[in-house]
């Protein structure tokens, strides 16, 4: 039991350190606090601080949730594109479609196309992910309304668009690009700095700690239950053994008493016979 309590701090510390080390490898574009229309692209830095695709469709959604954000929809990326967002790397969206927002045509980015260029790849393919920060979107909406009140309705519709979860599976198709390798040259994106959103969400850490403590408490309860059950079983066995021995003891005492009684009767008969013989000899 003491070993379990000693392991609790170690498990909690290991979980928090592992979470921080993983999230420290996340890089966002645009840089911290400069999302465009609330949209930003999260990438993973591998060895040598090189950008590499690291998230499948389900992992991409979890990355945004871990950063306290939600995964952006294709419509939200299109709105960000209209506001100036342009990248040269694929990113997953809420519809499980990988896209590249392009303003200027470039041969090695989106097959020299412009707009939100989609790729309906397999959900297991690794890409970056586009996340959506609703707080940034509302702040930018307020600034836009202040600067240009006539465009209030257009900005309100785009900034307040909500995420719609899409559970339909995307089938794998050939990419509409000149190469089957999803890696593209990221020669347009400025080096991204650490994002304040890349810090682990306090709520996520609380949930993690609560789950670990719950598992440990459940384990302790099971061990205590097993120990108590074993104690009750042994006590019951001892009681049954005692009850089984009592009739045997009483039976042994009864047999002994009968035997002693018979022996006394035999001795008494022998004394009577000896007395009779003595009397007969005297006559």
């Amino acid at each position: 039991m003491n070993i379990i309590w000693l392991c609790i701090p170690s498990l909690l510390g290991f979980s928090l350190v592992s979470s921080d080390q993983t999230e420290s490898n996340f890089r966002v574009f645009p840089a911290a606090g400069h999302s465009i229309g609330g949209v930003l692209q999260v990438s993973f830095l591998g060895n040598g601080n090189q950008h590499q695709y690291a998230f499948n469709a389900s992992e991409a959604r979890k990355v945004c949730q871990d950063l306290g954000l939600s995964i952006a929809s294709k419509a939200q990326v299109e709105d960000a594109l209209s506001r100036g967002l342009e990248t040269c790397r694929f990113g997953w969206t809420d519809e499980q479609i990988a896209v590249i927002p392009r303003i200027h045509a470039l041969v090695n980015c989106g097959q020299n196309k412009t707009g939100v260029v989609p790729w309906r790849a397999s959900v297991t393919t690794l890409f970056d992910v586009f996340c959506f920060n609703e707080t940034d979107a509302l702040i930018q909406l307020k600034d836009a309304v202040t600067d240009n009140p006539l465009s209030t309705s257009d900005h309100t519709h785009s900034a307040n668009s909500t995420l719609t979860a899409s559970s339909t599976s995307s089938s794998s198709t050939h990419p509409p690009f000149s190469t089957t390798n999803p890696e593209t040259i990221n020669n347009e994106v400025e080096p991204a700095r650490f994002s304040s959103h890349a810090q682990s969400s306090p709520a996520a850490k609380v949930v993690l700690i609560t789950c670990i403590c719950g598992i440990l408490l459940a384990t302790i309860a099971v061990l205590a239950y097993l120990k108590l059950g074993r104690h009750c079983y042994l006590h019951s066995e001892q009681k049954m053994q005692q009850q089984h021995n009592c009739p045997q003891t009483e039976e042994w005492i009864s047999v002994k008493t009968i035997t002693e009684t018979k022996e006394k009767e035999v001795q008494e008969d022998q004394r009577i016979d000896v007395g009779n013989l003595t009397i007969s000899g005297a006559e």
Side-chain angles (χ1 to χ4, degrees), residues 36 77-85 103 158:
I36 299 177
V77 176
E78 290 174 347
D79 178 67
L81 172 65
S82 68
R83 297 167 182 263
L85 177 65
I103 297 175
S158 60

Side-chain angles (χ1 to χ4, degrees), residues 123-135:
V123 294
T124 59
T125 307
L126 302 182
F127 293 119
D128 294 343
V129 59
F130 287 101
C131 297
F132 182 71
N133 188 327
E134 185 176 359
T135 302

Side-chain angles (χ1 to χ4, degrees), residues 44-101:
F44 182 83
L45 289 188
N47 296 331
N49 284 339
Q50 296 296 319
H51 288 78
Q52 66 182 46
Y53 291 123
F55 316 126
N56 59 33
S58 60
E59 292 170 345
R61 188 181 303 275
K62 186 177 184 301
V63 166
C64 293
Q65 292 174 349
D66 290 343
L67 297 178
L69 308 173
S70 57
I71 188 169
S73 66
K74 186 172 179 287
Q76 289 167 340
V77 176
E78 290 174 347
D79 178 67
L81 172 65
S82 68
R83 297 167 182 263
L85 177 65
E86 184 179 40
T87 72
C88 194
R89 292 176 62 82
F90 286 105
W92 284 111
T93 60
D94 184 48
E95 294 83 359
Q96 295 186 340
I97 301 174
V99 300
I100 293 180

